[in-house]
Structures are given as C-alpha cells and as structure tokens.
Amino acid sequence: MPVDTESLARRYDAIKLHLTERQRRLWLGNEARDLGRSGARIVFEATGVAIDTILRGREELDDLQPLPVGRSRGPGGGRKRAEDQDPGLATDLDALVEPETRGDPMNPLRWTTKSLSHLVKELTKRGHQCTENVVARILHEAGYCLQGNAKTVEGKQHPDRDAQFVYLNEQVKAALAAGQPVVSVDCQKKELVGNFKNGGKEWRPEGNPVKVNVHDFPDKELGKAIPYGIYDIAANTGWVSVGTDHDTAAFAVNTLRTWWNTQGRAAYPDATTLTITADSGGSNGNRLRAWKTELAALATEIGIPITVLHLPPGTSKWNRIEHRLFSAITMNWRGTPLTSHEAVVSLIGATTTDTGLTVDAVLDTGSYPTGIKISDKTMKALPLTRHDVHGQWNYTLSPQADTPEPADVESR
C-alpha cells in the first residue's frame, strides 16, 4: 500500500513547532518504525529531516535509560564551543580587552573602541574564526560587561587616611548611641538657573521633548543656584539652603544655623553637643579660618559645643551626604530645566526615597561677600580644642561668652 507522504508532511509541520528537539526525533523515529524497512527514507522524503536524525530517534525509542526530562542531547552532544575547538581564542580575546594592557603600545586596540566588530576583526587577523555572538558570550562568561567611566580616583592618598576614617566613625557612632545630633554637610554643585538643559531623561509624549536653550550661557539676572546641604544621619532627613550669592563659610554656617533653629533644636531638645562631618575643602574646609570663626559664634548662639570631623583630603565622594541626599536630589530633578530659584527649591523639597528620606529646602538671598581675612588675634581667641588624633581634622568649638564675633575680621 503506497504511503501518503503529503499527509505525513502535513502532520509533521503541524506539530514540530510544539516539540523539543528530542521530541521531534522521537516522533520521526516512531513514524519511521511504523513504516517498516524503508521508513526512515520515506520520512526523510516527506519532512526533509536528515536520515541520521530519524534513525537516532528510532534508536532512542528503545533506550532502557532515556535522557532526563528537559535534555535533548546526551552529555557531550551538540557542536563544540568555538573556544574548545580553538583553545587560543579566549586567551587572545582577553589580551585585547584586559584593562592592564591599555598602556601597552603593542596592543592594536589601544586607541580604538573595543566594539564586538573590532574585536572580531582583530581576532580574525590572528587566525581565529569567530562571530560577534561568540565574542559577546565569551566576554560575559569571563565577567566582562559594558561599563562607563566611574569617578573613583581621588588623587594622592594621605598616609593616615584609613586611621582618620576609623576615628571619625568611632566618634559618630558614640554620638549617635548617646542620642546626640550628627550631621553631614557639603555644598552641592552650583547650577545654572534658567531654561538650560538638565541631565537625565523623563517620560514625555513621543516627539515632544522639553525645549531648552542651545547654549549654556549664564543668565545675568537669574545667575546660579548654590545648594548647601545638611543631612541628619539619625533622622534620615535633609535640609538645603539654596543661595544666590557666594559659597562662603558664612553661607555654610548660616545654613547650619537655619537648620538648627528650624529643625535641630526641636528634634534634639536635650542635645549637649553637635557633631559635624565635612569635607576638607570648600566653604567648610579644615584650613579655612572663616569656617572656624563662624562655627565658634554659632556654638555660643546655640549654647552647646560643636565638634567637626573632616574627611581626609581627596575623599569627598565618601561623604555620607553625597550618596544619601545629593544623589536623591539629582535623580528627582533629572531632565527638568531649573528655570528659577523657586523651581530649584521646590524640586529639592519634593525629594523623597523609598528608605524614608524627606528634605526641606529654603531660599537664602543673603549677601555673602568673598575676600574676608580673619586676623591672627581673632584666631588665637577662638575657644577651639584640637583632638589628640589629627587635630587639624578633628576639633571642638565651645560656647563662650566672649567668643569673637565673625565681624571681628580684617578685610583683605
């Protein structure tokens, strides 16, 4: 009786997309067995599947130990990987992308983008046969991934950097354990105010981006926004004063003053000391006389000592305010032009995080002139006590009735 190969072909086409590789072999092998001696060739003519595959399927029907569920081939089955057939492939690829070879003048891709196509071309020159997909797989399995630059190199490290971090952490932990206020302070990057591009992307109707100025020339009337922040470590709250004049020590300490009078005093009614962690540079630098003079006046105003613990030079990115407060603010206003100081204040004040961070922001339109020089006489009169451990970075300013006022200065 002649075999209806067209019917066999239709049945195979209807079911093959719903079967695994192994299941297709078994189905074809079963059909070949039913057709007898010439069954494999008949199935081949009807389906176009290789006779070897059909015969293997027929043999697998009689296996006493079938493959585990989910496997289509036995161990070692399938085409060998490119790096197994060509043992030098992975080694040469690693040599092309290994970061340590960037300075090697013999590296052919030293000054070339290491795209998959460039890597394949270079490997081909070295006698390897591979594709972009193979190169991508080998790189992923070796732990490589596409990455941008990371700003982590802070410059020359101070020899006592680690010791200062240990001391700072111990002091902060002790203050927090005693229920005393501990804040991290810093000035965020100054921002141009106006219809300028702001980094990041926000959801908008397709083809309708926010239109901003082509050039980032400062607006003389609007100027810049200077956000000086305070992060309360225990409360997980932020306070930001947005200045319009200059980032000076007077501006920084006035932000602390405003925070204390508005939030700090109420949050810590029994406080006996205020601890501040700060960078070693900027308006709160450890060498800045005006910073210490202004803090001495503030200590007298609030009636409790103020202890300052500076992060070692070149470690500003480790300041807690950077990744607890400023990063959240940047994420919140991404893609939004900072068209006015009021807009800056509103965007900062609307910042929250899933960890419970809340932020208050105010506009500070005060005048903070630069070029102020503190006299030696004023410095000697400060009630400043340097700690035994790195006194240039760690010191306490005590309240005192005759603390010199910040106004007792000499103009430069």
Side-chain angles (χ1 to χ4, degrees):
M1 181 177 178
V3 178
D4 186 356
T5 56
E6 292 185 1
S7 176
L8 177 61
R10 286 196 301 271
R11 294 201 306 275
Y12 179 66
D13 289 339
I15 196 173
K16 65 180 181 180
L17 296 178
H18 304 284
L19 302 177
T20 64
E21 179 185 340
R22 181 189 180 199
Q23 290 170 340
R24 286 196 296 270
R25 287 199 309 268
L26 293 174
W27 189 90
L28 293 166
N30 189 57
E31 291 291 329
R33 172 183 286 180
D34 288 345
L35 293 173
R37 186 173 181 178
S38 301
R41 177 163 295 280
I42 295 172
V43 173
F44 159 70
E45 294 175 350
T47 63
V49 178
I51 291 180
D52 289 343
T53 300
I54 298 170
L55 293 175
R56 183 148 49 96
R58 189 169 64 182
E59 293 172 358
E60 288 178 351
L61 290 171
D62 298 326
D63 285 347
L64 297 178
Q65 294 182 341
L67 293 175
V69 176
R71 287 193 63 95
S72 293
R73 302 179 185 180
R79 180 182 299 175
K80 290 186 178 181
R81 290 188 165 197
E83 58 269 36
D84 293 332
Q85 298 180 20
D86 183 359
L89 174 60
T91 301
D92 285 351
L93 176 59
D94 186 65
L96 290 175
V97 298
E98 169 58 41
E100 295 302 325
T101 65
R102 289 177 184 166
D104 181 4
M106 299 304 294
N107 181 3
L109 297 184
R110 182 184 178 191
W111 308 114
T112 306
T113 301
K114 295 180 180 66
S115 64
L116 293 177
S117 60
H118 286 163
L119 290 169
V120 169
K121 289 179 181 178
E122 186 58 37
L123 289 169
T124 302
K125 291 179 182 178
R126 299 187 178 198
H128 302 291
Q129 297 296 323
C130 59
T131 65
E132 292 184 13
N133 287 338
V134 170
V135 170
R137 175 180 57 75
I138 295 175
L139 288 175
H140 281 297
E141 291 179 354
Y144 288 95
C145 64
L146 292 173
Q147 299 185 70
N149 299 151
K151 291 184 177 181
T152 57
V153 180
E154 294 279 3
K156 186 177 180 180
Q157 294 185 4
H158 194 282
D160 291 336
R161 162 179 160 160
D162 292 343
Q164 173 61 8
F165 271 121
V166 170
Y167 182 76
L168 185 150
N169 288 330
E170 290 176 348
Q171 295 295 307
V172 168
K173 287 181 180 179
L176 291 174
Q180 300 297 321
V182 181
V183 297
S184 173
V185 303
D186 196 12
C187 187
Q188 193 175 9
K189 180 176 72 71
K190 300 179 181 67
E191 301 287 346
L192 287 177
V193 178
N195 192 35
F196 303 113
K197 180 179 179 180
N198 197 2
K201 297 180 180 180
E202 272 292 85
W203 289 105
R204 294 275 302 173
E206 186 173 357
N208 185 29
V210 176
K211 295 178 174 59
V212 297
N213 298 345
V214 175
H215 301 291
D216 291 342
F217 297 129
D219 187 309
K220 293 183 179 180
E221 293 185 2
L222 296 176
K224 295 183 178 182
I226 308 171
Y228 192 92
I230 299 172
Y231 176 69
D232 186 332
I233 296 175
N236 190 29
T237 58
W239 177 276
V240 179
S241 287
V242 179
T244 61
D245 192 30
H246 297 98
D247 177 24
T248 66
F251 170 58
V253 174
N254 194 54
T255 301
L256 281 163
R257 179 181 290 107
T258 306
W259 166 79
W260 178 259
N261 292 331
T262 306
Q263 290 186 349
R265 192 189 305 275
Y268 303 95
D270 300 323
T272 57
T273 185
L274 170 62
T275 301
I276 299 173
T277 64
D279 293 345
S280 290
S283 57
N284 45 237
N286 67 301
R287 294 184 178 182
L288 199 61
R289 289 186 170 192
W291 164 251
K292 297 181 178 71
T293 304
E294 294 284 349
L295 280 179
L298 178 60
T300 296
E301 289 178 29
I302 65 179
I304 59 175
I306 297 177
T307 294
V308 183
L309 308 168
H310 288 279
L311 279 75
T315 61
S316 59
K317 296 301 179 184
W318 294 91
N319 198 345
R320 197 169 305 197
I321 194 173
E322 291 282 351
H323 48 87
R324 292 289 183 86
L325 178 60
F326 289 163
S327 61
I329 293 173
T330 301
M331 288 293 293
N332 187 60
W333 70 23
R334 64 185 181 188
T336 303
L338 307 177
T339 54
S340 66
H341 287 93
E342 289 73 18
V344 174
V345 171
S346 296
L347 287 165
I348 293 175
T351 301
T352 59
T353 65
D354 292 338
T355 58
L357 172 71
T358 58
V359 184
D360 285 298
V362 295
L363 184 63
D364 186 343
T365 59
S367 176
Y368 298 99
T370 60
I372 302 298
K373 182 180 179 181
I374 307 299
S375 66
D376 292 340
K377 176 184 176 182
T378 300
M379 287 302 299
K380 290 179 181 179
L382 290 182
L384 186 149
T385 303
R386 298 188 182 277
H387 295 197
D388 294 334
V389 178
H390 282 297
Q392 76 274 25
W393 291 334
N394 310 300
Y395 49 86
T396 298
L397 292 151
S398 303
Q400 190 170 310
D402 57 349
T403 300
E405 294 295 327
D408 180 19
V409 299
E410 296 178 355
S411 298
R412 179 175 297 173

